[in-house]
Amino acid sequence: MHVSPGLFSEYLSPASYCLAGNGIYLPHIEPQEAREVLVSCVNPSGTNIVTCQDPRIHSFLKEAGGLGFDIAPSNSVAVQGPYIPIFDYRTIELAYHATSEVVGLTLTDILVSPLKIVAGQYIIKKILFRDAAVIRGLCARKKVILFLTGQDALIETIWHQRTVCELFQQLSRMNFWAVTGFNFSVFGGECPVAQRLNQKKSIVSSLLLEENGLFTIPHIYAVNDFHITQYQQWLKRNPHIQLVTMNCQMQHSPEDIEQVVRAVQALLIINEKLHIILQGYWFSELHHFESFLDRIHIAESKPVKYGQNFQKVDPTVFTKADQYSKDAYKDLVLENVAYRKHELRQILIHSSR
C-alpha cells in the first residue's frame, strides 16, 4: 500500500526506530528505507509480521537463508492466453466447460473450511485437504494454476506447518500444472526488514515447490523503488524466469495502482521475454501498460463470485435477488467468464490500434 516517506521521526519515538536505518542490513536493505516506516517496529506480540526488533528475527532470517535474493527456481512455465478465470471448489466442474486453456484455484479451494472468525479475527480451525482426486479431475482437463494467496492467517499457518501437514506431498498428488510462490504480505509503511523477509520467504517457497517436483511461478510485490531495483537485479541474474505473478486484489487507490504500474513496467523492461500474471487487477486500469499489454495476463475470480451471487458482470444487465432458481448460478458463472474474457479481448484489440 502507498505511503508518504519522511514521516518516521514525526510520529514514532526513538525506541521505535527501525534498526535498518543503521545500515546493519546492507546491502539488502538501504538505510533510507527506514525513513518510510510509519508503523512502530516494536511488535511484542509478533502480530502479522516479524520486524527488526522482534526477538525471534534471527531464527526467521536463518529459516529464509538471510535476506539476499540469492536463490531462484531453475525452471519456468509460459502462459499464452491473456485471461485466466479463477474458480473455486464449488465450481470445479464448471471449469471443465470454460473456453480458457488455463484456469486457477486458490489455497482455500484445496482445504476444507480452514477459517473461522473469533472476536473479529480469522483463526485456523484445522488444516484438512480436500479429496485430491477431485482436483486431479480438473487438472486432467485444464492447465490449473494454484494461486497461494488468501488471508494472512491462513498463509502464515500453512507455511509454518508445511512439514506437519505434508503440504508439498498433498500438492503433488493434485497434479497442478503450476503453483505460485506464497503471497506473504508486503505493506508500505512497515519495517523494511519485515518486507524483505516476506519477499525472500516467497522466493524460498517457490524453490521448495520446485524441489518437490512442482512447476512454480514466483510471486513478487514491490512497494517502493528499493524493492523494484532488487527484483530487477534478481531477474537479470535469472533471465530464464519468463513468468511471475503479482497479487493486486488489495490495490484499488490511485496511489496503489500507480505503484503496481511502475513496478510491472520496470520488471518487463529488464527482460523482454518476461510475462506477468496480475491477480485481481482492474480492467479499467490496463491502459497504463500501453506497449506491455501483450506480456500481461489477468487472473480473477470476479465472474465466479458474481455468478454465485446470481449477478452478471455485464454492467448493462440488472438482476434481482429472486430472479433465478437455485442452480441458475452455474449458467451465470460460465456466462460471466465468457463476458470477461471477451471484454479483455476487446480492450487489447483497442489498445493495439
Side-chain angles (χ1 to χ4, degrees), residues 81-83 286 290 292-298 341-353:
Y83 186 66
L286 280 169
E290 299 176 347
F292 295 107
L293 284 175
D294 61 332
R295 292 195 279 150
I296 289 174
H297 311 266
I298 304 298
K341 185 176 181 179
H342 174 74
E343 183 181 10
L344 179 57
R345 188 185 302 116
Q346 294 301 114
I347 291 174
L348 297 179
I349 291 173
H350 179 75
S351 67
S352 64
R353 293 173 180 171

Side-chain angles (χ1 to χ4, degrees), residues 129-326:
F129 289 89
R130 293 191 180 276
D131 186 355
V134 176
I135 309 296
R136 283 200 303 269
L138 176 60
C139 294
R141 295 166 173 81
K142 297 287 184 179
K143 292 181 178 179
V144 184
I145 298 175
L146 177 65
F147 290 87
L148 293 180
T149 57
Q151 296 286 346
D152 286 346
L154 179 61
I155 293 290
E156 294 291 347
T157 301
I158 292 290
W159 172 251
H160 291 301
Q161 297 186 23
R162 61 190 181 277
T163 302
V164 176
C165 71
E166 299 183 332
L167 173 64
F168 300 114
Q169 294 91 325
Q170 292 283 354
L171 296 182
S172 295
R173 295 187 191 109
M174 295 176 180
N175 292 349
F176 288 108
W177 179 66
V179 182
T180 72
F182 272 89
N183 172 212
F184 297 110
S185 294
V186 178
F187 292 112
E190 292 186 342
C191 175
V193 179
Q195 294 172 340
R196 180 72 173 199
L197 178 59
N198 278 355
Q199 291 166 333
K200 176 62 179 294
K201 281 165 54 183
S202 187
I203 297 176
V204 169
S205 72
S206 276
L207 195 66
L208 291 175
L209 287 164
E210 183 176 76
E211 290 176 354
N212 282 273
L214 296 156
F215 284 104
T216 183
I217 303 171
H219 180 276
I220 61 176
Y221 194 74
V223 299
N224 56 44
D225 289 344
F226 301 105
H227 296 167
I228 291 174
T229 299
Q230 293 282 359
Y231 277 122
Q232 284 182 316
Q233 294 172 351
W234 182 67
L235 288 169
K236 281 183 179 180
R237 294 192 297 269
N238 300 281
H240 64 279
I241 295 178
Q242 297 184 17
L243 181 65
V244 296
T245 183
M246 181 184 295
N247 185 6
C248 307
Q249 295 179 95
M250 299 290 290
Q251 282 61 51
H252 295 156
S253 72
E255 295 82 5
D256 291 341
I257 294 295
E258 180 183 359
Q259 183 60 33
V260 170
V261 172
R262 291 180 64 254
V264 169
Q265 290 179 338
L267 299 180
L268 291 177
I269 287 173
I270 288 298
N271 182 344
E272 63 181 14
K273 295 183 178 180
L274 181 70
H275 287 233
I276 185 165
I277 300 173
L278 301 181
Q279 183 183 356
Y281 190 79
W282 288 10
F283 282 14
S284 60
E285 301 297 334
L286 280 169
H287 63 92
H288 294 292
F289 294 112
E290 299 176 347
S291 60
F292 295 107
L293 284 175
D294 61 332
R295 292 195 279 150
I296 289 174
H297 311 266
I298 304 298
E300 64 169 9
S301 58
K302 180 177 179 176
V304 172
K305 291 181 177 178
Y306 268 54
Q308 289 176 325
N309 288 324
F310 301 98
Q311 293 179 292
K312 291 192 174 185
V313 291
D314 183 347
T316 65
V317 179
F318 175 77
T319 58
K320 298 179 181 179
D322 58 351
Q323 182 175 340
Y324 297 102
S325 63
K326 182 179 179 181

Side-chain angles (χ1 to χ4, degrees), residues 117-132:
I117 298 179
V118 177
Q121 299 291 327
Y122 281 101
I123 67 169
I124 306 299
K125 294 192 298 183
K126 185 179 181 180
I127 299 176
L128 180 63
F129 289 89
R130 293 191 180 276
D131 186 355

